[in-house]
Amino acid sequence: MRLIDIKQNIDIAKEFFTPSFPSSNGNYYVDNVLKTKKAIEALIKIHILPTNVEDEKVFIDVIQSAFTNRIIVNSSQQSDFIKVSTKIRYMITTLSLWLNDYLTTDETDTTINIKLPSVSGLSDFSEVINLLEKSLNGISTINGGGEIKVEQLDHGSLWIIIAVCSTQIVKAMVAAINCALDIAKKKIELDQAKEILKRTQMENGAIENLINIQEKVIEQLIQEQVESTKYKKPEDANGLTEAEQKNRYTKSLTELTKLIVAGTEFHPALCASSEIQDSFPNFKQLERQGPLPELPRQEKDDKNNTKRE
């Protein structure tokens, strides 16, 4: 789970955990139950609650089972619930202070969340970041945007948060990601066919022929996407001619496809508009059988492996 998801739910809990405990004429109550219920659900979602404390379990069960904003309790229950709610409120406040100090990034429509593929070493991690940098900066550049900025590296998970200069660049990236996802589906299908041939002990020549066909099919799919894309005038594409834009788009689609096949996912900001949210693909579409493939190594363009034509 990402820290940004935990922060979102802690913020909900901080806003809605507002139980009060009035009494009148010998009757004892818990008020603001429905808001408190929403706060508890947020804490359960991120596994902060429940704990193994018995009084806390009783309090949570009573709140979760309620359907009215006020419930009647006895004197002893109210006393216990006050103690439990004080502890929970203190926990929420402490976590909120820490998370808001630690996570300084506020997501917007120009934020993209990226789930990285599993890597086994620093060289693999470097390869993923290199492919991301090349592919996304390539899309940004041909659409008149600037360099991509890393807003947050989510420690303890495989997520990073990046920011681009405008929603138009986000839309251009999402269009490319959708194209790359379609190509990745075909690549995965072909990889699975290749594995079936290996298991049936087909001759190496037949497998090599399939690999050659596979490469040509993927290249053709990428080329079809490149040729069907509308390109900008050089003055709106950082001075790049249409031929240069096509070249960069070809490389970006190739790199994005490799990343997606290896397990990379792209997701909108949690607070993004419905238009942006709906434009992102659903990565559950990918039906993989067996472990994720190893990320292909990039050929180095120069000493720093960062040159783009």
Side-chain angles (χ1 to χ4, degrees):
M1 183 179 293
R2 297 177 299 163
L3 286 176
I4 196 74
D5 295 320
I6 296 173
K7 179 182 181 297
Q8 183 189 40
N9 283 283
I10 290 295
D11 288 344
I12 292 170
K14 184 179 179 182
E15 179 181 355
F16 290 101
F17 192 81
T18 56
S20 61
F21 303 93
S23 61
S24 175
N25 299 322
N27 294 316
Y28 300 87
Y29 307 96
V30 180
D31 280 356
N32 296 330
V33 171
L34 298 182
K35 284 186 175 180
T36 302
K37 185 176 183 178
K38 186 172 182 178
I40 286 174
E41 287 171 352
L43 293 172
I44 290 173
K45 187 176 179 180
I46 55 176
H47 308 295
I48 299 296
L49 293 178
T51 64
N52 293 321
V53 180
E54 187 59 34
D55 288 347
E56 181 191 280
K57 287 181 180 179
V58 173
F59 175 71
I60 291 171
D61 288 343
V62 168
I63 297 297
Q64 283 194 298
S65 62
F67 294 96
T68 59
N69 206 39
R70 165 176 277 194
I71 56 175
I72 300 174
V73 294
N74 60 45
S75 173
S76 176
Q77 276 184 314
Q78 190 188 66
S79 178
D80 290 340
F81 288 177
I82 289 171
K83 293 176 184 177
V84 170
S85 65
T86 299
K87 291 177 182 178
I88 292 175
R89 188 177 287 109
Y90 176 78
M91 176 186 65
I92 292 170
T93 301
T94 302
L95 287 171
S96 178
L97 287 170
W98 181 79
L99 284 165
N100 282 288
D101 183 58
Y102 183 74
L103 292 176
T104 56
T105 300
D106 292 321
E107 293 191 347
T108 66
D109 269 0
T110 58
T111 301
I112 298 176
N113 294 297
I114 304 173
K115 182 181 180 182
L116 304 178
S118 297
V119 294
S120 58
L122 288 176
S123 61
D124 293 328
F125 182 74
S126 174
E127 188 67 22
V128 170
I129 298 303
N130 184 45
L131 284 170
L132 279 172
E133 186 271 332
K134 286 187 171 186
S135 60
L136 298 182
N137 275 331
I139 301 297
S140 179
T141 300
I142 66 175
N143 285 279
E147 188 176 358
I148 308 301
K149 295 181 179 179
V150 175
E151 292 290 312
Q152 184 79 40
L153 177 63
D154 197 5
H155 299 289
S157 74
L158 293 171
W159 289 82
I160 61 172
I161 302 171
I162 64 168
V164 301
C165 61
S166 69
T167 55
Q168 291 305 114
I169 300 300
V170 172
K171 290 176 181 178
M173 287 185 177
V174 173
I177 290 165
N178 275 295
C179 290
L181 181 62
D182 289 338
I183 297 166
K185 289 178 189 175
K186 190 64 179 177
K187 175 76 165 62
I188 291 169
E189 287 176 10
L190 292 169
D191 284 343
Q192 289 171 349
K194 183 174 65 179
E195 289 304 314
I196 291 171
L197 283 181
K198 286 182 179 178
R199 286 198 296 269
T200 56
Q201 297 182 336
M202 291 288 289
E203 293 181 1
N204 289 336
I207 296 174
E208 287 175 7
N209 286 337
L210 178 62
I211 292 171
N212 292 332
I213 293 170
Q214 179 190 59
E215 290 175 351
K216 289 177 181 178
V217 167
I218 299 304
E219 286 174 7
Q220 182 180 350
L221 289 172
I222 291 172
Q223 200 57 39
E224 287 174 359
Q225 294 290 349
V226 169
E227 293 301 328
S228 64
T229 298
K230 186 177 180 181
Y231 296 95
K232 296 181 178 294
K233 296 177 181 179
E235 56 266 30
D236 297 324
N238 288 299
L240 296 173
T241 64
E242 182 172 316
E244 289 172 323
Q245 292 178 56
K246 283 185 176 182
N247 183 42
R248 293 205 178 201
Y249 193 50
T250 300
K251 290 186 176 182
S252 289
L253 280 182
T254 302
E255 290 152 355
L256 284 171
T257 300
K258 290 177 182 178
L259 285 164
I260 292 171
V261 169
T264 306
E265 298 180 8
F266 300 85
H267 298 271
L270 297 171
C271 60
S273 65
S274 57
E275 179 189 6
I276 296 294
Q277 292 265 4
D278 294 342
S279 65
F280 274 78
N282 178 7
F283 281 88
K284 292 181 181 178
Q285 298 175 41
L286 287 182
E287 295 183 5
R288 295 187 179 90
Q289 295 178 1
L292 294 173
E294 202 172 301
L295 194 68
R297 292 291 175 188
Q298 285 281 92
E299 291 184 7
K300 294 188 177 182
D301 295 317
D302 60 15
K303 290 181 180 178
N304 296 319
N305 197 19
T306 57
K307 183 179 177 182
R308 296 284 306 242
E309 293 180 7

